Amino acid sequence: MRFPQLDPSDLAAFRAVFRGELIWPSDPDYDEARRIWNGTIDRHPALIARCTGTTDVAAAVNFARASGLSVAVRGGGHSMAGHSVCDDGIVIDLSPMNAVTVSRRHRRARAQGGCLLGAFDTATQAHMLATPAGVVSHTGLGGLVLGGGFGWLSRRYGLSVDNLTAVRIVTADGAVRTASDTEHPDLFWAVRGGGGNFGVVTEFELTLHRVGPVRFAAAYYTLDEGPRVLRAWRDHMTTAPDELTWALYLRLAPPLPELPAELHGKPTVCAMSCWIGSPHDGDRQLDAVLHVGKPHGLTKMTLPYRALQAYSFPGAVVPDRIYTKTGYLTEPDDDTLDTALTHATRITSPFTQLELLCLGGAVSRVPDDATAYPNRHTPFVVNLASAWTDPTEDAHHTAWARDGHRALSPRLTGGYVNFMNPGEGDRTEDSYGPKYARLRAIKAEYDPANLFRLNQNIPPA
């Protein structure tokens, strides 16, 4: 591996102001430091700069620009497309910047750019507060929020970006700016859904909501029950109350003791639902959706929201090779649902799933032009998420996601940028639709040389 030669004077100037840790390819912890969650990505940066604060980030941006280095920004290292690491360039690593401060009085939280969802939820739930975010606790808050961000709370309280009140951001010129509705409002509009195209966000300020214990339920159905369950899900969610989230995961049944042995390892429909509100009302709502067919392994519980956030990947084995294909639907017709069920019969891994989600609710009531996030009024999300552990099986598992997306694509529109895979840069314009031109104009103002291009890139106009 040959790395670019760095100008000694530029490097000396950088070292003089950078307070964090610099990791070079010759260092013993280099391989671990460059590793990200998606193990299909194997890249070798010339330098990893672990930042201690905004000043370090500004110094790293200035050094990268002066040296002509490509820039990757690592928050939680959870980018499915591998944007958290690069070849031959510099990784601006925010992982040491993980502090969260909560104002219970003002119901606001400030989180640094390297914070993980689990840490954020722990800090806010100490005050019985929360804000909408993703559903995997080891996800980085920063990357998730910048792409939109949705999860169990979104139908009631909107997207993560709908609860974002301000960001502190280092732009391509090395300047530190605050973006909000009153300061640099165009930049604030763009970062709410436009991803990492506009700079490195070192701090997020988010509105919090009171969230106590939630009522949660899960059940498995055979694929024979699938047509009935999927149609009931679609019909119910179009008019469901905001407090209810009901998601379907077409996956292989795990060897849980509460499931019949004959289901273990077989394609099934896993239904998960939660009620964000009074647990008493939740029982009635959950019963209505969980007894559509004949459920197996029905589990109902009341649990803290932060425990629900840790429910994904609860087992000892976590897949580290990921490939996803995604799209939105206004309302899935019967043919779409049947196509999804047919493709579920070909699932290739116990970690793989075809996800059927419905947003709507509070998400759909925010004006479409309020943020850069697209597809507010196409509430159904389809995500084909392949996950596995054996590198020799990469082609087999990625083919499953591609084939399923190809079968469903005539009915799909756009895509969620946080779910895109490494080869989907050409889908960015389609994903943003009419907002793409405005995003390009804002990109030209704040990053005219496209320094921040290792993302679902929006080129400057």
Side-chain angles (χ1 to χ4, degrees):
M1 183 68 64
R2 297 183 63 184
F3 296 103
Q5 293 295 314
L6 302 177
D7 184 277
S9 59
D10 288 341
L11 183 57
F14 177 45
R15 286 183 183 273
V17 296
F18 190 78
R19 297 172 299 174
E21 179 186 11
L22 298 179
I23 301 175
W24 301 91
S26 57
D27 290 337
D29 54 349
Y30 171 78
D31 281 334
E32 181 61 29
R34 70 181 179 85
R35 183 180 183 273
I36 61 172
W37 182 53
N38 187 354
T40 66
I41 309 298
D42 184 23
R43 296 177 184 154
H44 296 77
L47 174 62
I48 299 169
R50 283 189 168 157
C51 303
T52 63
T54 300
T55 302
D56 278 354
V57 173
V61 168
N62 287 330
F63 174 65
R65 188 183 64 252
S67 303
L69 292 173
S70 58
V71 176
V73 181
R74 177 182 180 130
H78 211 274
S79 168
M80 294 184 186
H83 299 318
S84 310
V85 68
C86 58
D87 278 326
D88 304 328
I90 182 172
V91 173
I92 299 177
D93 187 347
L94 308 181
S95 57
M97 299 170 55
N98 53 27
V100 183
T101 58
V102 177
S103 170
R104 184 174 181 178
R105 177 182 176 186
H106 296 103
R107 292 196 177 182
R108 293 284 173 89
R110 290 181 179 271
Q112 290 185 301
C115 176
L116 301 185
L117 295 190
F120 182 82
D121 291 332
T122 297
T124 56
Q125 279 281 278
H127 305 278
M128 301 292 281
L129 300 171
T131 204
V135 299
V136 178
S137 59
H138 50 84
T139 304
L141 180 76
L144 177 123
V145 170
L146 293 175
F150 53 75
W152 295 112
L153 299 180
S154 292
R155 284 182 49 79
R156 184 161 188 189
Y157 297 121
L159 301 167
S160 300
V161 293
D162 300 333
N163 292 273
L164 191 62
T165 54
V167 297
R168 196 178 193 196
I169 184 171
V170 179
T171 47
D173 58 358
V176 180
R177 293 176 163 89
T178 296
S180 67
D181 282 333
T182 57
E183 298 179 80
H184 303 288
D186 56 341
L187 179 60
F188 189 51
W189 179 88
V191 299
R192 287 178 290 170
N197 277 281
F198 305 95
V200 184
V201 176
T202 61
E203 185 177 84
F204 297 83
E205 183 183 84
L206 293 144
T207 297
L208 300 174
H209 307 273
R210 180 168 178 80
V211 178
V214 301
R215 195 72 173 138
F216 174 77
Y220 283 82
Y221 301 86
T222 66
L223 282 195
D224 289 342
E225 294 265 26
R228 180 180 179 185
V229 173
L230 268 61
R231 285 160 173 74
W233 164 79
R234 174 197 61 196
D235 297 342
H236 189 85
M237 292 309 297
T238 55
T239 58
D242 293 356
E243 292 88 348
L244 177 69
T245 296
W246 184 14
L248 302 182
Y249 303 93
L250 281 56
R251 57 165 65 150
L252 302 182
L256 299 173
E258 59 266 29
L259 291 178
E262 60 269 21
L263 279 186
H264 293 178
K266 300 292 180 57
T268 56
V269 179
C270 175
M272 293 187 187
S273 53
C274 76
W275 177 262
I276 308 297
S278 163
H280 175 73
D281 293 337
D283 273 335
R284 179 170 51 84
Q285 292 287 340
L286 296 184
D287 284 345
V289 302
L290 286 172
H291 290 90
V292 172
K294 181 182 178 183
H296 298 276
L298 176 59
T299 302
K300 293 173 64 175
M301 65 186 86
T302 299
L303 72 171
Y305 170 70
R306 67 181 182 277
L308 176 60
Q309 287 290 82
Y311 194 83
S312 295
F313 300 126
V317 178
V318 176
D320 61 356
R321 305 185 76 78
I322 316 295
Y323 186 89
T324 57
K325 296 285 286 186
T326 181
Y328 289 82
L329 287 161
T330 301
E331 185 173 338
D333 58 23
D334 288 352
D335 286 344
T336 301
L337 298 178
D338 291 341
T339 299
L341 285 166
T342 297
H343 197 61
T345 65
R346 309 184 186 111
I347 286 177
T348 56
S349 163
F351 305 111
T352 290
Q353 55 192 22
L354 195 163
E355 304 169 357
L356 298 172
L357 314 172
C358 181
L359 299 178
V363 175
S364 63
R365 289 193 291 275
V366 174
D368 185 63
D369 61 357
T371 69
Y373 176 83
N375 296 303
R376 286 189 182 274
H377 303 298
T378 46
F380 290 90
V381 183
V382 177
N383 187 40
L384 296 110
S386 282
W388 65 101
T389 58
D390 187 346
T392 66
E393 299 177 353
D394 287 1
H396 179 53
H397 298 293
T398 57
W400 178 85
R402 289 172 178 167
D403 291 346
H405 185 265
R406 189 179 302 113
L408 292 164
S409 60
R411 305 167 181 90
L412 299 178
T413 183
Y416 180 38
V417 293
N418 285 350
F419 285 170
M420 286 188 182
N421 68 61
E424 293 193 303
D426 60 335
R427 295 187 65 204
T428 304
E429 181 175 359
D430 177 51
S431 295
Y432 286 109
K435 299 183 180 186
Y436 189 66
R438 182 179 176 186
L439 285 165
R440 290 194 65 194
I442 297 170
K443 176 78 169 182
E445 180 178 356
Y446 290 98
D447 185 12
N450 204 11
L451 179 68
F452 300 112
R453 59 185 177 274
L454 298 183
N455 42 51
Q456 299 299 346
N457 192 234
I458 299 166

